[in-house]
Amino acid sequence: MKENFKAKLLSKDAGKPEWIVFAIWVVLVCIIRHFHEPWFDETQAWQIARFASIKEILTEVCHYEGHPPLWYFVLMPFARMGLPHKITIFCITMVFNCVSMYLLLFRSPFPRWLKCYIPFTFFIFYLQSVHTRPYCMTGLSIFLAAMFYKERNQKPARYVLSLIFLCFTSAYGVLIAAGLCLVWTGEIIAEYCQKKNYREVVKDKRFWWLWVILICALLLYVCCSPAKDVFFGKFSHENFMSRLQYFPLFIFDSTFGTIMHEDDILNIQSMFFLGCIIGILMWIGVIPLLRQNKKLLVTIVPYLICTFFAVAVYFELHNLGTFTLFFIFILWILFDDEIKIPKIYKDLTQKVNSSFILKLSKTIITMMFCMPLLYTVVSSYLEIVHPYGPQEVLDFIDKNNIENRKILINWKWKSDNPMPWDETLPIENNTTITINQPLYMPLTVTIKALSHNDNNFYSYFNTYQNQKQWQIWKYTTDEENKKIFEQWQKIGLPDFIIGSCPIEYVFSEEQLKGITYYWIGDYKYGKIWKLDYMEGWEHIYIRSDLLQEYPQFEIKKYGRILTEPITD
């Protein structure tokens, strides 16, 4: 019976167990999605699809977003019909994800246990399926490329078309496709060098299909190359040198580890070095297998291109999911051929006679494979019990009927001085601002996408950008900031302020004379990453002359509720 069960787990056939796994996956994703609050990235794409023209997307938006335009065009017809954001975008992503899971469960060459394991790992289940981002298309395109890889030389069209699809899903998709095409080009050149028939290469259909994907990549570069004044994606040389140590970490954190945290913060320095050591050991372990099966270059080249881009140009934690998909691609093409076990593996197992070491090795490997499932379980639990933030702000606005009031939401700013824990605005202490980016208001975009109302908290948003309805990652100069603040001064003082804002740098002394903003509440926000919930909170303020109009608000100071206005 035990042997029969083992044979079923190792079987590559697809049948009833795969359909059961597929159904369980769909149900669980829908349940967790019900509790999921859309992240800014999800609502930003929706706002662009809803309000940006095709010309703006192709000539402006992509230069600041860093994403190819395909996702916006997929969302566009649904967003412009006025359909609700949350359910509509989820249905769209589920179409792509369901096709991906079908290919994985029924068309992949994996043994049954691996087919049924991958859909519930963190990046596939939580980040790709619960979240609604273009990576749902990345997963589908990578699975298609893996499926067509084996016959790429006989049927190059479908393989190249799947790589073109991959290019149009994300910037990292372009990098992976570039690495795969470089290796493939080398193989084609080596083939003709061996034959010593160089002129025939121009008659090879693979050669022309590679030209097609190169042209597509160049067009994408023209469309998506970073603007000179883009706000994100700029690192100093010193920062680049310090990030070189991340090279061995990507393989570990995109599969089994959880060393990297939000904003590139590391858990503990010793844990970071441990993660790097494990990453190096993982590479040492798999390189003989890849080399024996002639898959070393097709693995190393795209990985090095992606990691170099990550440490030198741009990287966010969710980009690790693309590395995960790439490693699934490598596993797919390995299993698609008859895997040859390197002699060094056999020699090593023969030399290790200790049953304790063998059991310990099996235990460690089992624990490593359990970690991605644990990340999924914990992240799903945190999704249910913790807020992301914007919905809480929207509920506060609706509950208190202040949707028609002028609401200023905090923007990106930073001071050399410690931020005072003040219950009133403006801040009396002298504050030297080192970073001041008033166009950066992502919370406003998310609230707008969720509310479907033209509320006045949009009054201060993108005044310098002709009231565009999405976040523009433009780095503004002091001169541009001056013009933005002049527009705000014309709008007048806000009735409510969400978040600590240095309004004394925006409005004149005459406008602020006799005006105080009182702290009346907070909103909590947070972000989930594997085992962690990174929590924060911001104050909500009301202008002093509006207190009598809104008696439901109680002024807070140092954790106490005051019944009289603050006078000290």
Side-chain angles (χ1 to χ4, degrees):
M1 184 176 179
K2 185 178 179 181
E3 290 298 321
N4 186 38
F5 179 71
K6 185 177 179 180
K8 287 181 179 180
L9 287 179
L10 296 176
S11 172
K12 292 186 178 183
D13 296 331
K16 187 176 179 180
E18 282 73 18
W19 282 115
I20 293 172
V21 168
F22 185 81
I24 292 172
W25 174 83
V26 170
V27 170
L28 290 179
V29 168
C30 290
I31 290 172
I32 304 304
R33 174 65 191 185
H34 172 73
F35 295 96
H36 172 71
E37 286 187 43
W39 288 15
F40 161 73
D41 307 74
E42 302 171 61
T43 54
Q44 169 82 341
W46 186 261
Q47 289 296 96
I48 291 170
R50 187 181 177 193
F51 293 105
S53 67
I54 294 175
K55 181 181 177 181
E56 283 177 316
I57 291 173
L58 293 176
T59 62
E60 179 184 335
V61 169
C62 292
H63 291 296
Y64 288 96
E65 287 294 310
H67 275 291
L70 179 60
W71 183 233
Y72 309 122
F73 293 142
V74 169
L75 299 180
M76 186 175 287
F78 306 97
R80 297 196 175 182
M81 282 191 287
L83 297 175
H85 164 263
K86 186 175 179 178
I87 184 65
T88 307
I89 197 171
F90 174 61
C91 291
I92 294 168
T93 54
M94 276 300 283
V95 170
F96 289 104
N97 285 323
C98 284
V99 176
S100 299
M101 290 307 105
Y102 176 83
L103 294 179
L104 180 67
L105 290 169
F106 295 95
R107 299 297 299 274
S108 72
F110 300 135
R112 176 166 286 159
W113 72 270
L114 191 55
K115 289 180 185 178
C116 298
Y117 165 81
I118 292 175
F120 300 101
T121 55
F122 173 78
F123 287 107
I124 302 300
F125 180 89
Y126 181 73
L127 210 60
Q128 180 178 310
S129 305
V130 173
H131 288 233
T132 49
R133 303 205 60 204
Y135 302 111
C136 62
M137 300 190 301
T138 307
L140 175 57
S141 58
I142 283 185
F143 291 169
L144 286 171
M147 194 165 65
F148 300 142
Y149 179 85
K150 187 175 182 179
E151 295 183 335
R152 67 194 182 284
N153 291 313
Q154 294 77 29
K155 300 176 181 179
R158 59 184 191 176
Y159 177 63
V160 171
L161 289 173
S162 65
L163 292 182
I164 291 173
F165 180 23
L166 175 60
C167 289
F168 277 88
T169 65
S170 73
Y172 277 88
V174 176
L175 300 175
I176 291 173
L180 294 174
C181 287
L182 280 174
V183 175
W184 193 24
T185 302
E187 291 172 351
I188 295 170
I189 292 172
E191 178 185 322
Y192 279 95
C193 285
Q194 191 175 9
K195 294 177 182 178
K196 295 183 179 181
N197 193 3
Y198 309 109
R199 294 181 181 180
E200 291 298 315
V201 69
V202 295
K203 298 179 182 179
D204 195 320
K205 56 185 177 181
R206 295 174 296 175
F207 173 78
W208 293 106
W209 274 110
L210 284 168
W211 271 105
V212 170
I213 194 171
L214 177 61
I215 292 170
C216 290
L218 291 174
L219 290 173
L220 278 175
Y221 179 78
V222 171
C223 179
C224 304
S225 57
K228 292 181 180 179
D229 56 354
V230 67
F231 184 59
F232 280 163
K234 295 180 179 179
F235 300 113
S236 67
H237 178 69
E238 290 78 14
N239 201 0
F240 167 71
M241 295 305 293
S242 67
R243 287 167 177 260
L244 286 176
Q245 57 192 339
Y246 280 59
F247 270 99
L249 190 58
F250 283 104
I251 187 174
F252 178 56
D253 250 40
S254 61
T255 50
F256 307 113
T258 178
I259 306 297
M260 286 187 273
H261 275 204
E262 187 64 20
D263 298 325
D264 299 334
I265 298 172
L266 299 173
N267 261 335
I268 304 170
Q269 196 66 18
S270 58
M271 290 295 292
F272 169 71
F273 289 119
L274 177 62
C276 288
I277 291 170
I278 295 174
I280 292 169
L281 291 175
M282 288 175 70
W283 276 117
I284 292 173
V286 300
I287 281 175
L289 179 66
L290 296 170
R291 186 177 180 183
Q292 181 73 28
N293 291 274
K294 298 181 180 179
K295 300 293 188 296
L296 182 59
L297 283 178
V298 82
T299 304
I300 291 292
V301 173
Y303 178 84
L304 289 178
I305 291 174
C306 288
T307 50
F308 183 83
F309 181 84
V311 300
V313 182
Y314 183 77
F315 174 74
E316 292 285 349
L317 275 182
H318 59 260
N319 296 133
L320 282 172
T322 311
F323 284 83
T324 306
L325 291 170
F326 173 65
F327 289 128
I328 294 174
F329 170 88
I330 297 301
L331 280 176
W332 192 309
I333 64 176
L334 270 171
F335 277 94
D336 219 7
D337 290 324
E338 186 177 344
I339 298 180
K340 300 173 184 176
I341 305 300
K343 186 174 182 295
I344 189 173
Y345 289 179
K346 298 175 182 178
D347 294 341
L348 189 62
T349 52
Q350 289 175 357
K351 289 179 181 179
V352 178
N353 297 320
S354 171
S355 59
F356 171 77
I357 294 177
L358 291 174
K359 287 181 180 179
L360 180 63
S361 301
K362 289 180 180 179
T363 302
I364 292 173
I365 292 171
T366 302
M367 290 177 63
M368 288 178 66
F369 272 86
C370 286
M371 291 307 295
L373 301 180
L374 177 63
Y375 302 148
T376 298
V377 171
V378 174
S379 297
S380 300
Y381 169 77
L382 294 173
E383 190 72 70
I384 293 171
V385 300
H386 285 297
Y388 173 55
Q391 187 62 51
E392 191 171 326
V393 176
L394 186 58
D395 292 342
F396 175 87
I397 292 170
D398 292 341
K399 178 183 176 182
N400 294 287
N401 298 314
I402 61 173
E403 59 272 5
N404 292 317
R405 287 291 185 177
K406 290 181 292 185
I407 303 174
L408 175 62
I409 294 179
N410 62 326
W411 64 92
K412 181 78 172 181
W413 69 281
K414 190 176 181 180
S415 169
D416 275 344
N417 306 327
M419 178 63 193
W421 183 255
D422 208 325
E423 285 75 25
T424 62
L425 294 177
I427 299 168
E428 295 180 0
N429 302 16
N430 291 326
T431 303
T432 303
I433 295 181
T434 56
I435 295 176
N436 202 6
Q437 294 297 307
L439 290 183
Y440 183 95
M441 289 185 179
L443 177 61
T444 312
V445 176
T446 305
I447 295 174
K448 176 66 178 176
L450 296 176
S451 67
H452 283 277
N453 293 321
D454 294 323
N455 298 332
N456 282 347
F457 55 73
Y458 244 54
S459 300
Y460 304 94
F461 181 70
N462 273 346
T463 53
Y464 191 64
Q465 297 290 332
N466 301 319
Q467 290 290 348
K468 288 182 178 176
Q469 308 290 303
W470 62 91
Q471 173 72 52
I472 299 173
W473 302 107
K474 174 182 169 60
Y475 185 90
T476 52
T477 63
D478 291 340
E479 186 63 30
E480 289 171 326
N481 290 342
K482 184 179 178 182
K483 293 179 181 179
I484 293 170
F485 293 148
E486 285 175 357
Q487 291 289 330
W488 291 9
Q489 290 168 13
K490 291 177 183 178
I491 295 168
L493 292 174
D495 301 320
F496 291 85
I497 297 176
I498 298 177
S500 296
C501 303
I503 58 172
E504 64 274 18
Y505 282 83
V506 178
F507 300 99
S508 65
E509 289 185 13
E510 184 178 347
Q511 286 178 299
L512 291 171
K513 187 176 181 180
I515 295 295
T516 303
Y517 285 88
Y518 292 133
W519 172 33
I520 55 172
D522 298 301
Y523 87 91
K524 293 181 180 179
Y525 62 89
K527 200 168 185 181
I528 296 165
W529 185 256
K530 294 185 178 179
L531 303 178
D532 294 320
Y533 176 72
M534 292 150 279
E535 187 177 25
W537 59 88
E538 290 283 1
H539 289 343
I540 300 175
Y541 303 87
I542 186 173
R543 203 173 67 230
S544 53
D545 58 316
L546 294 174
L547 279 170
Q548 291 183 349
E549 194 173 336
Y550 294 94
Q552 69 267 34
F553 295 130
E554 297 172 313
I555 304 171
K556 297 183 179 183
K557 185 174 176 65
Y558 305 118
R560 294 181 290 110
I561 297 175
L562 303 185
T563 56
E564 298 293 333
I566 299 170
T567 57
D568 56 342

